[in-house]
């Protein structure tokens, strides 16, 4: 438990107590799985491109133990709800929808040929729901880690991420890319991961010294996101087809200046975002490796402008939050993060300015929008793992 944060330690104790109370014995194990934030590389994952996320110190904690009657007992402490079902023949629940993430992982493990035993699990989470910090993928990875340990299933981190992505895509029915499950599976403390979404390789990139990653939740809940997401994906596919490549990953910014005139205005803008964003991710990693924080910050700002103007997935609240951040002392860069239309911004703020940033941005944003934001000063943590 030494490396865990105090919130995590409290959640471990709470899940342990709840498990004992519900099932009359101590849990065999307790696992944790973090939420995540993407520093740069937005809407690039489904274009075979690059992303640069970090796992953050907000997490799911799950206490579990085997049972021998083939039943699964799940308790969601935050929803004060419990379900019980047989481990075979998983189907989506319309009643306790929160249990679909666990059912999905059971299903995906069974699909992959593993035998899943009956088990009990109690869980809680402080990853905000629906803010774009991936509370759902954190639950999937916590469940997968739990079942791997309980049933002695050996999966490497990438395979585990792919299995949980399949669970979310095919069982839950959400067509997400690989980024969330990947970073939550493989995240490293004090590092972001540069992930190549084509070949699924990664490099750990140390986060800059003297800088805090600050997440600002606009509290504007993503509305349009599903339909807009599907439209953007289709526009990217159309652009790649018109330029004769498998994915937008295959076009460099230089090549794009030759090709872009072939594309209609909307598709051209969407492609320009993805192609320049891929380059920005690589440039951001290069800047981090040499400690060039000015360039790193500028790339974040340019990413926001590109998402706002070319990809058109920002919204008033995200723009206001970002513009307020840009005016604060000690801010290297700020941009919207996640799919868009609400959710969070990510900000790189010099250590000594982080507390002032929090209070200034909070009051200025509230004044401008009437919404009370949540602001988290984060550290990058290890991916899903057993703590007890
Ligand atoms: P996100 O962007 O946070 O992943 P999703 O809509 O994909 O948003 O997933 C949120 C869903 O995950 C919730 O509606 C709920 O079903 C489940 N979930 C998240 N956090 C919890 C929690 N603390 N307890 C139970 N279920 C949760
Ligand atoms: Mg989700």
């Amino acid at each position: 438990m030494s490396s865990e944060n105090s919130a995590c330690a409290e959640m471990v104790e709470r899940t342990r107590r709840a498990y004992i109370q519900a099932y009359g014995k101590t849990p065999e194990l307790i696992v944790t799985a973090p939420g995540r934030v993407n520093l740069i590389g937005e809407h690039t994952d489904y274009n075979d491109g690059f992303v640069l996320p970090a796992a953050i110190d907000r997490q799911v904690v799950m206490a579990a133990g085997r049972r021998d009657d083939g039943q699964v007992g799940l308790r969601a402490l935050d929803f004060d709800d419990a379900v019980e079902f047989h481990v075979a023949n998983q189907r989506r629940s319309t009643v306790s929808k929160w249990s679909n993430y666990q059912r999905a992982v059971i299903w995906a493990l069974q699909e992959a040929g593993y035998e899943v035993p009956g088990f009990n699990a109690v869980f809680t989470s402080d990853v905000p729901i629906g803010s774009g910090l991936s509370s759902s993928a954190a639950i999937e990875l916590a469940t997968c880690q739990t079942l791997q340990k309980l049933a002695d299933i050996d999966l490497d981190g990438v395979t585990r991420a792919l299995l949980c992505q399949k669970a979310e895509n095919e069982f839950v029915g959400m067509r997400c890319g690989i980024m969330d499950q990947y970073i939550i599976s493989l995240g490293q403390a004090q590092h972001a991961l540069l992930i190549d979404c084509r070949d699924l390789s990664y490099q750990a990139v140390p986060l800059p010294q003297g800088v805090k990653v600050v997440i600002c939740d606009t509290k504007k809940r993503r509305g349009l996101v599903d339909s807009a997401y599907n439209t953007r994906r289709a526009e990217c596919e159309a652009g790649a087809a018109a330029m004769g490549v498998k994915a937008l990953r295959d076009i460099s910014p230089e090549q794009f200046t030759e090709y872009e005139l072939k594309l209609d205005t909307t598709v051209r803008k969407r492609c320009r975002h993805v192609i320049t964003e891929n380059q920005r991710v690589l440039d951001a990693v290069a800047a981090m490796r040499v400690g060039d924080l000015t360039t790193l910050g500028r790339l974040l700002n340019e990413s926001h402008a590109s998402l706002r103007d070319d990809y058109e997935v920002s919204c008033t609240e995200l723009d206001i939050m970002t513009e307020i951040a840009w005016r604060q002392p000690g801010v290297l860069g700020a941009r919207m993060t996640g799919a868009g239309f609400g959710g969070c911004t990510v900000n790189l703020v010099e250590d000594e300015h982080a507390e002032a940033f929090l209070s200034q941005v909070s009051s200025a944003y509230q004044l401008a929008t009437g919404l009370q934001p949540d602001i988290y000063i984060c550290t990058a943590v290890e991916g899903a793992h057993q703590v007890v």
Side-chain angles (χ1 to χ4, degrees):
M1 273 302 298
S2 55
S3 67
E4 311 308 326
N5 54 72
S6 59
C8 182
E10 182 277 323
M11 290 157 79
V12 166
E13 281 319 307
R14 196 150 41 80
T15 51
R16 188 205 312 274
R17 281 198 305 273
Y19 187 97
I20 294 169
Q21 197 177 20
Y23 304 114
K25 52 185 161 186
T26 49
E28 282 175 58
L29 55 85
I30 302 181
V31 302
T32 180
R36 67 96 186 94
V37 67
N38 191 19
L39 298 181
I40 192 162
E42 218 61 76
H43 289 280
T44 46
D45 62 346
Y46 52 83
N47 290 296
D48 280 3
F50 301 103
V51 293
L52 188 65
I56 57 170
D57 52 340
R58 289 258 155 174
Q59 57 268 309
V60 170
V61 172
M62 182 175 281
R66 268 168 296 207
R67 53 193 276 178
D68 50 22
D69 60 357
Q71 291 287 113
V72 178
L74 297 176
R75 301 187 87 81
L77 296 184
D78 308 314
F79 293 177
D80 196 16
D81 196 13
V83 289
E84 191 163 316
F85 52 85
H86 196 269
V87 75
N89 303 321
Q90 287 310 314
R91 270 191 276 127
R92 249 192 305 190
S93 167
T94 50
V95 188
S96 295
K97 287 190 179 167
W98 56 267
S99 67
N100 286 330
Y101 300 93
Q102 288 89 347
R103 294 174 199 263
V105 172
I106 295 170
W107 169 84
L109 281 166
Q110 290 167 339
E111 282 282 302
Y114 297 105
E115 197 169 323
V116 179
F119 66 101
N120 289 319
V122 169
F123 72 104
T124 184
S125 169
D126 65 358
V127 184
I129 295 177
S131 294
L133 303 181
S134 228
S135 67
S136 63
I139 292 175
E140 290 154 9
L141 269 298
T143 306
C144 196
Q145 272 289 11
T146 296
L147 290 174
Q148 280 186 248
K149 302 278 180 192
L150 288 180
D152 205 10
I153 297 171
D154 188 19
L155 301 175
D156 63 62
V158 175
T159 308
R160 178 185 317 130
L162 286 166
L163 190 135
C164 289
Q165 183 200 17
K166 176 175 165 158
E168 179 131 4
N169 287 171
E170 295 179 28
F171 190 92
V172 178
M174 170 66 200
R175 204 184 161 204
C176 57
I178 186 64
M179 172 171 66
D180 297 0
Q181 287 80 10
Y182 197 108
I183 182 65
I184 293 171
S185 176
L186 285 152
Q188 295 183 13
Q190 277 118 44
H191 289 72
L193 295 191
L194 168 64
I195 304 170
D196 180 333
C197 297
R198 171 164 280 171
D199 68 12
L200 299 184
S201 61
Y202 73 93
Q203 290 173 33
V205 185
L207 286 169
Q209 299 281 318
V211 175
K212 292 272 188 287
V213 175
V214 184
I215 297 172
C216 300
D217 187 344
T218 61
K219 292 294 194 70
K220 163 89 167 114
R221 287 297 172 248
R222 307 161 298 172
L224 283 166
V225 73
D226 288 354
S227 63
Y229 183 82
N230 291 332
T231 320
R232 295 298 182 284
R233 281 186 81 135
E235 288 162 347
C236 291
E237 282 162 20
M243 291 186 280
V245 292
K246 180 163 172 279
L248 293 180
R249 153 70 177 278
D250 298 309
I251 305 277
S252 68
E254 294 72 36
Q255 288 170 321
F256 186 60
T257 56
E258 284 171 40
Y259 289 132
E260 63 178 325
L261 294 172
K262 288 194 210 157
L263 306 174
D264 82 48
T265 317
T266 304
V267 170
R268 187 189 310 163
K269 286 166 70 175
R270 307 301 187 240
C271 293
R272 187 164 56 212
H273 165 71
V274 173
I275 290 163
T276 58
E277 183 80 351
N278 272 327
Q279 188 61 47
R280 280 188 289 274
V281 178
L282 299 177
D283 293 347
V285 170
M288 282 165 79
R289 293 223 186 265
V290 298
D292 180 356
L293 302 184
T294 310
T295 299
L296 176 61
R298 178 176 50 74
L299 291 162
L300 260 69
N301 299 346
E302 288 174 6
S303 170
H304 186 80
S306 177
L307 288 157
R308 181 190 62 203
D309 301 336
D310 277 344
Y311 220 60
E312 298 182 275
V313 291
S314 190
C315 64
T316 311
E317 292 80 1
L318 284 168
D319 290 342
I320 290 175
M321 188 71 96
T322 306
E323 281 156 24
I324 292 170
W326 284 340
R327 295 201 296 269
Q328 304 305 312
V331 171
L332 300 166
R335 65 176 203 92
M336 57 159 278
T337 183
F341 302 107
C344 296
T345 65
V346 62
N347 307 262
L348 294 181
V349 186
E350 290 169 359
D351 279 349
E352 64 270 29
H353 290 100
E355 287 296 335
F357 174 93
L358 195 153
S359 61
Q360 291 295 327
V361 172
S362 180
S363 54
Y365 178 79
Q366 196 173 359
L367 197 67
T369 62
L371 294 168
Q372 170 81 59
D374 278 335
I375 304 189
Y376 314 113
I377 300 175
C378 291
T379 52
V381 301
E382 184 186 344
H385 63 282
Q386 184 173 353
V387 286
V388 175

